[in-house]
């Protein structure tokens, strides 16, 4: 098959550009420590309200025996529960989220708290909030007719004004 | 280039060393054990798994029609309740919604002396039959007055400042209900609507998974609840000329 010389040059150039961009993305991802959340932990989303961890009364902020500050949350059409979440500033907080129905996402505006909440899996991320204030927490994966209205509130309180609950599993 | 620590630093803890991972697992398990002690009854025990869905799918409408006769006394013939009574109409209600409420009565996650007695004498299959029978009837006819602008706004747009999503987001833009078990509200008896919302508000009814209706109802004023009751009664099936 005859390929014109100029066309051949353009084909080679396009391939080189594509490979160069892939290379740049890979280098960027490695150097800036960007990786997909890989907490592969399954949960039965149908019966989420009957699980121990994601039971209605177990949601919210708590301190584990080792001192890890954990927030257990549920994304369900159309809201995040607990609806008003208070957390201390400058504290490493581990979020554990699960969906009770369809695919959701959670993003807290002005922070890097952002993850997908896939039904059947527990999403986990750890972050620190350096700024005090009220932040809207909203769904960023289309989940149905009420998607636009799916948002709740994160309140970051200065660390010195926040009393953490007693660690669980430790001395009462 | 070195890894730049920004103020917004996410660590995906699952990517740590295997030892840390198992330690983490042990701690989480320990925490779960701790949480176990404080674990109280769920707001509902109904799970929409394939088994429950099959029960609705395979329900017998003819049997349901016969079995539903015991409901006539309060819920009216074919499921349209009398206005002056505080009973809900069941006509046109989603089968899943009726089924869930009956199962909640059965295991006392929704309390009501009379309804619990009925739920206890009926089998799961009979409840499914009755629920599907009612779901095939038309929604109750329109009643009440022209809805207020405030009610229409709440139903269609909600109130962002109070974190109230619009009713229509879950209950459908015509109040027809939605998957899986979000009840239809169109044409509902307003006095029942008010009772249900006030019970959610006071927490005497708590079979809404993850507080959903308790949160919304506690953010609404009594007047707003009354106006919404009228709005949903009004958007029932139009009267035939």
């Amino acid at each position: 098959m005859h390929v014109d010389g100029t066309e051949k040059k353009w084909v080679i150039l396009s391939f080189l550009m594509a490979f160069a961009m892939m290379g740049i993305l890979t280098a960027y991802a490695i150097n800036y420590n960007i990786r997909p959340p890989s907490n592969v932990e399954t949960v039965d989303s149908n019966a989420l309200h009957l699980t121990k961890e994601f039971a209605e009364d177990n949601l919210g902020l708590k301190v584990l025996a080792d001192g890890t500050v954990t927030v257990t949350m549920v994304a369900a059409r159309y809201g995040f529960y607990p609806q008003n979440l208070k957390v201390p500033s400058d504290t490493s907080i581990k979020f554990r989220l699960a969906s009770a129905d369809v695919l959701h996402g959670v993003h807290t505006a002005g922070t890097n708290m952002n993850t997908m909440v896939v039904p059947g899996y527990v999403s986990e991320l750890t972050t620190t909030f350096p700024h005090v204030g009220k932040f809207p927490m909203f769904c960023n994966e289309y989940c149905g007719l009420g998607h636009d209205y799916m948002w709740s509130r994160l309140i970051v309180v200065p660390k010195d004004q926040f009393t953490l609950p007693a660690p669980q599993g430790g001395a009462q | 280039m070195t890894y730049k620590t920004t103020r917004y630093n996410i660590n995906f803890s699952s990517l740590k060393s295997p030892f840390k991972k198992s330690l983490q697992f042990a701690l989480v398990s320990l925490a779960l054990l701790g949480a176990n002690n404080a674990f109280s009854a769920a707001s509902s025990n109904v799970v929409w798994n394939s088994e429950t869905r099959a029960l609705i799918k395979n329900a017998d409408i003819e049997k349901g029609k016969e079995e539903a006769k015991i409901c006539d006394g309060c819920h009216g013939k074919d499921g349209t309740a009398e206005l002056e009574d505080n009973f809900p109409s069941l006509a046109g209600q989603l089968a899943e919604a009726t089924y869930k409420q009956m199962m909640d009565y059965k295991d006392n996650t929704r309390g009501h002396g009379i309804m619990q007695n009925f739920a206890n004498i009926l089998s799961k299959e009979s409840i499914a039959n009755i629920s599907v029978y009612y779901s095939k009837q038309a929604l109750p006819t329109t009643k009440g007055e022209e809805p207020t602008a405030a009610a229409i706004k709440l139903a269609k747009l909600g109130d962002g400042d109070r974190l109230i999503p619009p009713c229509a987001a879950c209950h459908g833009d015509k109040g027809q209900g939605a998957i899986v078990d979000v009840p239809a509200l169109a044409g509902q008896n307003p006095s029942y609507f008010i009772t249900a919302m006030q019970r959610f508000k006071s927490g005497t009814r708590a079979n809404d998974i993850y507080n959903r209706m308790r949160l919304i109802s506690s953010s609404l004023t009594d007047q707003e609840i009354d106006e919404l009751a009228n709005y949903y009664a009004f958007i029932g099936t139009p009267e035939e000329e």
Side-chain angles (χ1 to χ4, degrees), chain B residues 15-241:
Chain B
L15 284 169
K16 287 172 188 167
S17 71
F19 170 70
K20 273 188 182 166
K21 202 170 176 181
S22 52
L23 185 74
Q24 194 185 27
F25 177 71
L27 288 168
V28 169
S29 318
L30 208 71
L32 283 177
L33 276 175
N36 209 357
N37 298 334
F39 184 67
S40 62
S43 43
S44 172
N45 292 305
V46 176
V47 174
W48 289 109
N49 52 22
S50 49
E51 199 185 316
T52 326
R53 285 169 198 261
L55 207 59
I56 300 287
K57 202 182 160 195
N58 301 328
D60 187 328
I61 302 178
E62 287 308 310
K63 267 191 193 168
K65 189 177 179 176
E66 283 304 304
E67 286 165 325
K69 282 184 177 155
I70 56 163
C71 318
D72 286 4
C74 298
H75 295 283
K77 202 176 172 295
D78 294 331
T80 304
E82 291 296 324
L83 261 190
E84 30 315 334
D85 297 328
N86 194 12
F87 301 118
S89 287
L90 301 173
Q93 186 53 271
L94 263 67
E96 289 83 354
T98 313
Y99 177 85
K100 180 192 176 281
Q101 299 307 322
M102 287 299 283
M103 295 309 285
D104 286 351
Y105 283 130
K106 221 176 169 61
D107 61 17
N108 199 17
T109 41
R110 181 174 175 185
H112 188 289
I114 300 164
M115 282 312 300
Q116 271 166 326
N117 288 337
F118 280 110
N120 285 331
I121 57 165
L122 292 167
S123 67
K124 265 203 279 193
E125 289 73 18
S126 299
I127 291 175
N129 295 343
I130 296 171
S131 304
V132 172
Y133 165 70
Y134 280 128
S135 74
K136 302 292 178 197
Q137 315 302 314
L139 280 162
T141 48
T142 176
K143 52 188 81 70
E145 299 146 19
E146 193 69 37
T148 61
I152 295 170
K153 193 168 174 243
L154 272 173
K156 296 201 181 258
L157 297 170
D159 184 349
D161 291 342
R162 289 185 284 167
L163 292 179
I164 303 174
C167 314
C170 292
H171 294 278
D173 60 346
K174 296 185 179 77
Q176 75 277 32
I179 53 161
V180 182
D181 56 9
V182 184
L185 302 174
Q188 190 51 271
N189 196 349
S191 60
Y192 172 74
F193 185 106
I194 294 165
T195 309
M197 289 294 276
Q198 291 293 352
R199 283 192 179 151
F200 276 131
K201 196 172 178 175
S202 65
T204 42
R205 179 175 167 188
N207 67 329
D208 53 330
I209 292 170
Y210 296 124
N211 274 314
R212 281 181 265 200
M213 284 313 297
R214 278 168 283 168
L215 283 168
I216 295 168
S217 57
S218 58
S219 302
L220 292 169
T221 64
D222 291 349
Q223 194 193 335
E224 282 169 335
I225 291 175
D226 294 354
E227 289 180 6
L228 281 169
N230 174 63
Y231 169 79
Y232 277 106
F234 190 79
I235 64 166
T237 308
E239 298 271 15
E240 278 177 40
E241 296 296 319

Side-chain angles (χ1 to χ4, degrees), chain A residues 56-100:
Chain A
E56 197 175 295
D57 297 339
N58 195 42
L59 301 182
L61 183 136
K62 50 194 163 292
V63 181
L64 302 191
D66 67 340
T68 317
V69 184
T70 308
V71 171
T72 314
M73 283 188 95
V74 166
R77 293 199 291 185
Y78 293 103
F80 298 100
Y81 306 94
Q83 201 178 41
N84 284 294
L85 179 66
K86 260 188 195 169
V87 295
S89 65
D90 301 308
T91 307
S92 172
I93 297 163
K94 185 162 98 179
F95 283 87
R96 282 176 62 78
L97 293 117
S99 161

